[in-house]
Amino acid sequence: MKTDHIFEELKRQIEGSDFKVKGEEVGRVVSVGDGVVTIEGLPNVLSSERVLISSWPETKEKGSVPALVLSLEEYGVGAILLGGEEMVKEGDIVRRTEQVLSVPVGEKLLGRVVNPLGEPLDGKGPIGAKEFLPIERPAPSVIDRSSVDTSLATGIKVIDAAIPIGRGQRELIIGDRQIGKSALLEDTMLAQLKEPEETRPICVYVAIGQKYSKVAQLVSNLEERGAMKYSIIVVAGASDPASLWYIAPYAGSSMGEYFRDKGKDALVMYDDLSKHAWAWRQLSLLLRRPPGREAYPGDIFYLHSRLLERAAKLSKEKGGGSLTALPIVETQLGDVSAYIPTNVISITDGQIYLEPGLFFKGQRPAVNIGLSVSRVGSSAQTKAMKKVASQLKLELAQYGELAAFAQFAQDLDEGTRKRIQRGERLTELLKQPQYLSFPFEEQVCSLYAGISGSMDDVEKERVLEFEQQLLAYLRDRKDEILSGIRESGEFSDETKSLLDEAIGEVKKSFS
């Protein structure tokens, strides 16, 4: 064997009972392939410890390949390579670092694009961060948390009104591919531009298995609109090894937790956890862990639960910061009862379900309000939005049933016909093109106009045109209505009467 002389040299340098070289505990690579290495030796190594692999006799950290220990077995250690597989061969020596895998955190990362190890990908030079946090950290205890009671504005009418998201919540975005899941995350990041700077959440976007061209387009859009100044982009690209896909969401969570622990608000988005589960399945099978349902290992639920449990709103004694998680899970042909979707649904505080049928009918965003839910509910809404949107779900649910019934009915009574007309206009009102976000006070006025029946006599095809004219009129001539809702967070009777007058004025000029 070509490496026999290496082993002989190692044996000559063994000191004491441990496998050591020059006083340092080392092991050797027994096999390598598909991003996984099997290591002999290292009797005291810890799970999740970072080790360094280098060729003999070079044992300096320079030129070594990092790996993450995942399997501790009786006669060896299993580890995943964090890049540089072509540099590793059988017989290479492995040195302990006695450190868990950590990533840089802090203000220096804002506006940067990095890989899951915190190394820059944007060509803007080194990060220069002075603080590091482990990628695996315990979730806050129950006693350290407080209830979710502050709204996280997405700028998307249907979500802010019917499926509100609170700061510290975990809300799943689920649906088939190519129907606008990533677009919701991008719009949510852009919507934070309209938030006051002192309360604006830091956005951490984690791209798992995405094409680099797609991520570059996202970064370009964020930079063009000025949103990169409060954003961090973590990328494990489609061409990167599965080990980077696996650690990416944990690294992004640690970057967001830094700001949470400083008393600030952070929003971390995982796009998407289906690919994360695929990567873990691949690594687990290569590490010879027993497969279970759909070949996923038995700890796949724990994989995502320990990640998403880290999202929380901390109590005032702990600084009052929050970490909100918006994970994406991809379904196959709308099957929400598959293994990974049901796992993540049971971990999160609700889900936003995007339906292909609505998407192809032109309803964008294609949110199915009936199958979507927020378990935090209206406690994360302002009083104004709560008051206006309380009837929205009921109106749309009744419209859905009546519209299906009306297809088979010859004659409809007046009440049923009016309810169907209002439902059609509300459905039209909830359409929203990408990159167009609304502050909550404008959403309140727009939804009130639809729910109160003021749009019932507007042609269905012109509902969005009427909405634009109404909001433009309020911004130009009745800004006191918008500022009153924005500053007080309430929708008083006085505000309601002023808004009714404004709607009447717009309808006179609307032709």
Side-chain angles (χ1 to χ4, degrees):
M1 185 176 175
K2 293 181 180 179
T3 55
D4 282 349
H5 68 285
I6 297 175
F7 299 149
E8 292 299 324
E9 183 66 27
L10 285 171
K11 288 176 183 176
R12 280 198 295 271
Q13 298 200 33
I14 292 177
E15 297 176 0
S17 59
D18 287 337
F19 191 60
K20 296 184 177 181
V21 173
K22 299 177 182 176
E24 198 173 17
E25 183 182 326
V26 301
R28 65 183 178 91
V29 174
V30 176
S31 64
V32 56
D34 296 316
V36 169
V37 291
T38 304
I39 302 165
E40 186 178 72
L42 300 182
N44 299 311
V45 76
L46 304 176
S47 181
S48 297
E49 182 177 338
R50 186 172 69 99
V51 295
L52 297 172
I53 303 173
S54 53
S55 58
W56 179 261
E58 176 58 57
T59 59
K60 294 180 182 177
E61 188 163 342
K62 184 178 180 182
S64 58
V65 177
L68 182 66
V69 174
L70 288 181
S71 290
L72 302 179
E73 298 171 7
E74 188 175 359
Y75 298 109
V77 172
I80 57 173
L81 292 169
L82 302 174
E85 182 181 349
E86 67 282 352
M87 298 169 60
V88 179
K89 60 185 182 302
E90 289 183 20
D92 285 354
I93 67 168
V94 186
R95 297 159 54 236
R96 290 186 62 191
T97 63
E98 300 184 9
Q99 297 174 342
V100 295
L101 186 62
S102 300
V103 290
V105 295
E107 306 278 347
K108 298 273 188 182
L109 282 164
L110 295 178
R112 302 300 300 269
V113 182
V114 297
N115 71 5
L117 299 173
E119 298 165 347
L121 298 174
D122 50 13
K124 296 180 180 178
I127 300 294
K130 296 181 180 178
E131 294 186 63
F132 291 78
L133 285 178
I135 64 167
E136 297 268 15
R137 302 182 74 211
S141 64
V142 173
I143 205 72
D144 292 336
R145 299 175 182 237
S146 70
S147 59
V148 175
D149 56 7
T150 308
S151 173
L152 177 85
T154 66
I156 301 168
K157 290 176 285 187
V158 64
I159 294 177
D160 289 344
I163 320 149
I165 299 172
R167 301 192 181 202
Q169 189 176 344
R170 302 156 299 179
E171 185 78 7
L172 172 65
I173 299 172
I174 186 169
D176 286 7
R177 65 188 305 270
Q178 297 293 332
I179 59 171
K181 300 187 299 297
S182 299
L184 283 185
L185 296 186
E186 188 173 349
D187 282 350
T188 301
M189 294 174 76
L190 292 171
Q192 308 315 313
L193 277 169
K194 298 184 179 179
E195 292 291 299
E197 195 166 336
E198 59 275 9
T199 60
R200 179 186 294 154
I202 301 299
C203 297
V204 183
Y205 180 87
V206 183
I208 307 167
Q210 306 288 333
K211 294 179 182 176
Y212 277 105
S213 58
K214 181 181 176 183
V215 178
Q217 183 63 50
L218 167 71
V219 173
S220 174
N221 289 337
L222 294 177
E223 282 183 339
E224 184 181 327
R225 292 168 170 81
M228 275 300 287
K229 62 186 177 185
Y230 55 81
S231 302
I232 303 169
I233 312 296
V234 182
V235 188
S239 58
D240 289 332
S243 55
L244 291 185
W245 290 26
Y246 164 66
I247 68 170
Y250 298 104
S253 185
S254 292
M255 292 173 188
E257 282 176 331
Y258 169 84
F259 297 98
R260 181 201 68 190
D261 295 343
K262 295 285 185 184
K264 298 180 181 179
D265 293 315
L267 168 65
V268 60
M269 294 156 279
Y270 308 114
D271 188 5
D272 64 86
L273 290 189
S274 297
K275 292 188 176 71
H276 183 233
W278 297 348
W280 181 237
R281 175 171 59 185
Q282 175 183 329
L283 294 171
S284 295
L285 294 175
L286 289 168
L287 288 167
R288 300 191 179 279
R289 295 189 174 187
R293 179 174 165 187
E294 297 177 30
Y296 287 106
D299 63 348
I300 194 72
F301 182 89
Y302 178 57
L303 181 80
H304 289 148
S305 65
R306 75 175 190 259
L307 169 69
L308 294 171
E309 283 294 332
R310 292 163 68 174
K313 181 175 173 62
L314 298 182
S315 61
K316 289 183 180 179
E317 292 75 19
K318 291 291 181 178
S322 71
L323 180 68
T324 309
L326 294 182
I328 284 180
V329 165
E330 183 181 304
T331 55
Q332 307 290 329
L333 298 175
D335 183 14
V336 295
S337 63
Y339 188 30
I340 300 302
T342 49
N343 272 354
V344 184
I345 285 172
S346 64
I347 297 166
T348 50
D349 305 314
Q351 67 275 349
I352 297 169
Y353 177 59
L354 301 185
E355 186 181 328
L358 292 174
F359 183 82
F360 295 121
K361 283 180 185 175
Q363 185 74 25
R364 316 282 173 83
V367 176
N368 182 321
I369 294 182
L371 294 178
S372 301
V373 65
S374 172
R375 297 189 186 103
V376 170
S378 58
S379 58
Q381 284 180 311
T382 58
K383 291 182 179 178
M385 181 63 82
K386 195 184 304 185
K387 188 172 183 180
V388 169
S390 59
Q391 293 296 314
L392 181 64
K393 267 200 165 184
L394 180 62
E395 291 274 3
L396 290 171
Q398 290 177 339
Y399 162 66
E401 289 195 10
L402 291 173
F405 168 75
Q407 291 177 340
F408 305 102
Q410 294 293 331
D411 298 312
L412 297 173
D413 61 85
E414 186 65 18
T416 302
R417 190 175 59 81
K418 284 186 176 180
R419 201 167 284 281
I420 290 175
Q421 284 181 345
R422 182 171 300 178
E424 288 175 342
R425 281 147 185 78
L426 282 175
T427 303
E428 197 71 22
L429 187 63
L430 293 178
K431 289 183 180 178
Q432 190 170 332
Q434 192 177 0
Y435 307 127
L436 178 63
S437 62
F438 295 91
F440 99 92
E441 64 271 14
E442 292 186 4
Q443 292 184 35
V444 168
C445 295
S446 173
L447 291 170
Y448 172 76
I451 292 169
S452 65
S454 301
M455 291 186 181
D456 287 0
D457 55 349
V458 177
E459 294 174 25
K460 184 176 72 172
E461 294 76 15
R462 302 189 66 195
V463 165
L464 291 179
E465 185 185 343
F466 179 82
E467 179 196 38
Q468 290 175 2
Q469 288 200 20
L470 172 62
L471 294 178
Y473 179 82
L474 292 174
R475 292 187 205 109
D476 295 341
R477 303 187 188 181
K478 299 288 182 179
D479 188 56
E480 65 273 11
I481 297 176
L482 296 176
S483 59
I485 297 172
R486 182 170 58 246
E487 291 165 11
S488 68
E490 297 191 4
F491 191 69
S492 63
D493 291 337
E494 182 184 352
T495 303
K496 179 181 173 183
S497 60
L498 288 173
L499 185 55
D500 283 333
E501 289 179 17
I503 293 171
E505 289 295 321
V506 174
K507 288 183 79 170
K508 289 177 184 177
S509 60
F510 185 73
S511 58

